[in-house]
Amino acid sequence: MTTARRIVAVTALSLPLAVALPALADTEVPTLHRLATADTTDVVVARVVSTSTVNAGTRGVDTRVELDVVHVVDGALAAGGRITVSQPGGRTAERSLDVSDQPLWTVGETYLLCLGRRADGTFSLPFLREGQFRVVNGHDGVPYALGFGDR
């Protein structure tokens, strides 16, 4: 998908929010611009199945998020598949690591995600919480993608 098509596809999902809440429209422009970079390999709508934290050796602690892919906006993933997002930070019985700007996850919630594919087969959010948009249904039944701070 070309840069312009990728931005249009994500903008289409975010447009109802921009129309309904004009004051928040400007908050998503930097994120939409960044979607065009090579750091984002896949853009999907996915539902959180589970979260866990693991000791990551010298890196400290990682949080692993299992998600079911509901819809593919861009990239090689398939709807119906399961992916794992791995991000630094979290708490285990032995260790704790807080990393600013990491996205927060809620089991059962659906998100529009701008993902980067990692060498180990998992994914990351190259732009941290700016690459995560919670999907909610509006009063009109139309799904809206809410960026960080719009919760």
Side-chain angles (χ1 to χ4, degrees), residues 23-96:
L24 299 176
D26 290 338
T27 63
E28 293 182 349
V29 172
T31 302
L32 294 175
H33 172 72
R34 291 182 189 180
L35 290 176
T37 71
D39 293 333
T40 299
T41 59
D42 298 88
V43 179
V44 301
V45 176
R47 184 174 304 105
V48 177
V49 175
S50 66
T51 63
S52 61
T53 53
V54 295
N55 286 319
T58 57
R59 286 195 334 263
V61 178
D62 281 350
T63 295
R64 302 272 167 88
V65 184
E66 297 288 325
L67 301 113
D68 286 338
V69 177
V70 176
H71 177 74
V72 177
V73 177
D74 184 29
L77 292 171
R82 183 164 286 181
I83 60 171
T84 301
V85 170
S86 183
Q87 67 187 42
R91 288 180 173 73
T92 66
E94 300 84 26
R95 304 171 113 171
S96 175

Side-chain angles (χ1 to χ4, degrees), residues 63-136:
T63 295
R64 302 272 167 88
V65 184
E66 297 288 325
L67 301 113
D68 286 338
V69 177
V70 176
H71 177 74
V72 177
V73 177
D74 184 29
L77 292 171
R82 183 164 286 181
I83 60 171
T84 301
V85 170
S86 183
Q87 67 187 42
R91 288 180 173 73
T92 66
E94 300 84 26
R95 304 171 113 171
S96 175
L97 176 64
D98 292 324
V99 179
S100 64
D101 290 331
Q102 290 294 351
L104 302 175
W105 304 94
T106 302
V107 172
E109 290 283 355
T110 301
Y111 299 94
L112 170 67
L113 302 170
C114 306
L115 302 169
R117 195 176 299 260
R118 296 168 44 141
D120 65 1
T122 64
F123 292 87
S124 66
L125 276 75
F127 305 105
L128 308 174
R129 66 183 175 201
E130 288 186 8
Q132 179 199 50
F133 301 84
R134 188 168 60 102
V135 177
V136 299

